[in-house]
Amino acid sequence: MKQIDIAIVGGGPAGLTAAIYAARERLNTVVIDEYAGGQILQADIVDNYPALPSITGEELGEAFRSHAEEKGAEFLECAVTAIEKNGDSFALKVFDGVEESDLQAKSVIYAAGCQHRHLNIPGEERLTGHGVSYCASCDAAFYPDKAVAVIGGGNTALAEALLLSRVAKNVYLIHRRDTFRASADIVETVRNTENIQLIMDTIPLEITGEQSVETLQLQHKITGKQFTLLVDGIFVAVGMLPDTKVISHLADIDEGGYVIADETGVTSCAGLFAAGDIRTKQFRQVVTAAADGANCVKSAEQYLQKR
Ligand code: NAP
């Protein structure tokens, strides 16, 4: 079986930047993802990607993808179901939705990103898709003049609350502490938005509804008082979980589930590099993910030369 130089697992900003750099170096590479573009496709406005102010997430994700295509990157629209290391080669199993096939690679850049963390409270799973959502830019349009709740205190939750405030009548922003984790500028905008009501120091207990979401049961952490909000939609934005199941037996993972790697992307497994949100890092942003993709190609090139 033909062996490619680098299998890039994940087609978000990290993986697509790696594809651009690898294509420029004439490395034989393939980007494996069910649909390349990444989580950023779901973002409303991205206002902090340098030189492209106020671009939409969809435009930015598509621009990464078309840049990689233009440079000649190859794509395989599959999920990676297993990765094994045999000697100094990697064997990958990929699934296209119908059948599984095999791929051999000399090195792997793992840039599979993260998945939405769930609240794990009663009603959440049952009502997902029936009022419970993890993506405001996908689902906000279903709530014109309705009441919705957003749960979380990070950049995603506040950005989702702002997006929803332009469509819904009332937005309740529920956070478990009395200070936000999100950046100061977005916190200020949220505080100045009339139809966003902040509910702080409060945790969600249960989501109820027959066919679709009807109520959100909450508890104030300090007083212990329980209360109910009548809402039509609930947007869960409580962070992300790194998706490492296919490499956790190969590389060292930290206690949060992230692959241990510095900005070179070098992991404890020779030939396996980690890029983007999946790796241990201070700041998970599109710009840092893109930088990781470039760095990983440099590291992979050095590895391939020595190999
Ligand atoms: P995050 O920064 O990890 O924030 C998650 C939030 O959810 C935190 O406020 C956390 O509370 C809360 N939370 C976690 N588990 C919870 C639970 N079980 N119940 C209730 N609340 C819970 O996640 P994120 O907002 O998705 O952002 C992920 C990364 O992407 C961050 O690095 C962020 O900066 C970046 N990002 C950047 C932008 C941008 O710059 N444009 C936009 C979106 C995301 P605590 O604060 O108490 O821990």
Side-chain angles (χ1 to χ4, degrees):
M1 189 187 300
K2 189 182 154 221
Q3 214 181 32
I4 57 172
D5 293 321
I6 311 177
I8 299 173
V9 181
L16 291 171
T17 304
I20 292 166
Y21 276 74
R24 283 166 53 90
E25 295 305 322
R26 305 285 181 264
L27 291 162
N28 184 227
T29 314
V30 64
V31 179
I32 311 160
D33 201 337
E34 284 160 295
Y35 185 82
Q39 270 176 56
I40 195 66
L41 290 172
Q42 295 179 4
D44 183 27
I45 301 293
V46 180
D47 200 26
N48 53 8
Y49 193 74
L52 296 172
S54 302
I55 190 168
T56 67
E58 192 176 356
E59 285 165 346
L60 186 57
E62 294 295 351
F64 269 100
R65 186 188 165 99
S66 56
H67 190 170
E69 275 169 351
E70 208 179 278
K71 289 281 164 236
E74 279 187 43
F75 292 85
L76 195 58
E77 293 198 339
C78 286
V80 175
T81 54
I83 305 180
E84 293 302 337
K85 192 168 186 207
N86 303 321
D88 59 2
S89 300
F90 292 87
L92 290 85
K93 285 211 178 298
V94 300
F95 181 63
D96 66 4
V98 180
E99 58 181 354
E100 209 165 49
S101 52
D102 297 301
L103 194 80
Q104 296 284 336
K106 295 176 193 164
S107 66
V108 173
I109 294 179
Y110 194 75
C114 296
Q115 293 178 342
H116 296 287
R117 181 183 285 134
H118 289 199
L119 291 165
N120 297 317
I121 58 171
E124 181 185 23
E125 199 183 324
R126 181 175 61 85
L127 292 166
T128 292
H130 303 279
V132 175
S133 169
Y134 299 84
C135 174
S137 57
C138 314
D139 297 332
F142 297 123
Y143 300 94
D145 294 321
K146 306 253 176 165
V148 296
V150 177
I151 300 164
N155 279 317
T156 304
L158 273 71
E160 299 220 328
L162 281 176
L163 190 161
L164 284 157
S165 73
R166 301 199 287 271
V167 180
K169 188 172 177 194
N170 298 315
V171 179
Y172 300 103
L173 177 59
I174 295 140
H175 181 38
R176 64 184 178 183
R177 291 187 294 126
D178 66 349
T179 52
F180 287 111
R181 184 180 288 271
S183 337
D185 57 349
I186 192 166
V187 172
E188 191 183 326
T189 311
V190 162
R191 287 190 190 281
N192 291 330
T193 303
E194 234 170 59
N195 64 340
I196 300 181
Q197 186 181 326
L198 306 185
I199 303 180
M200 308 297 278
D201 286 318
T202 296
I203 51 166
L205 296 179
E206 185 174 359
I207 299 167
T208 70
E210 286 290 317
Q211 303 299 321
S212 62
V213 166
E214 290 167 21
T215 76
L216 174 60
Q217 319 278 339
L218 297 165
Q219 181 170 40
H220 193 267
K221 267 173 59 185
I222 295 161
T223 62
K225 198 179 145 209
Q226 294 190 10
F227 58 104
T228 301
L229 288 180
L230 298 179
V231 286
D232 303 289
I234 296 172
F235 290 81
V236 180
V238 294
M240 308 298 289
L241 287 174
D243 190 359
T244 57
K245 56 186 173 299
V246 297
I247 54 154
S248 55
H249 61 298
L250 295 174
D252 290 345
I253 307 286
D254 78 356
E255 67 285 352
Y258 295 93
V259 185
I260 298 175
D262 65 12
E263 68 168 13
T264 62
V266 172
T267 70
S268 59
C269 173
L272 173 66
F273 305 91
D277 287 2
I278 200 79
R279 80 166 178 92
T280 46
K281 55 158 66 178
Q282 173 170 275
F283 204 26
R284 293 187 171 82
Q285 298 282 296
V286 181
V287 69
T288 62
D292 281 3
N295 270 313
C296 273
V297 172
K298 183 47 80 189
S299 301
E301 250 187 304
Q302 289 165 355
Y303 168 80
L304 292 170
Q305 275 164 14
K306 281 193 207 140
R307 181 178 176 269

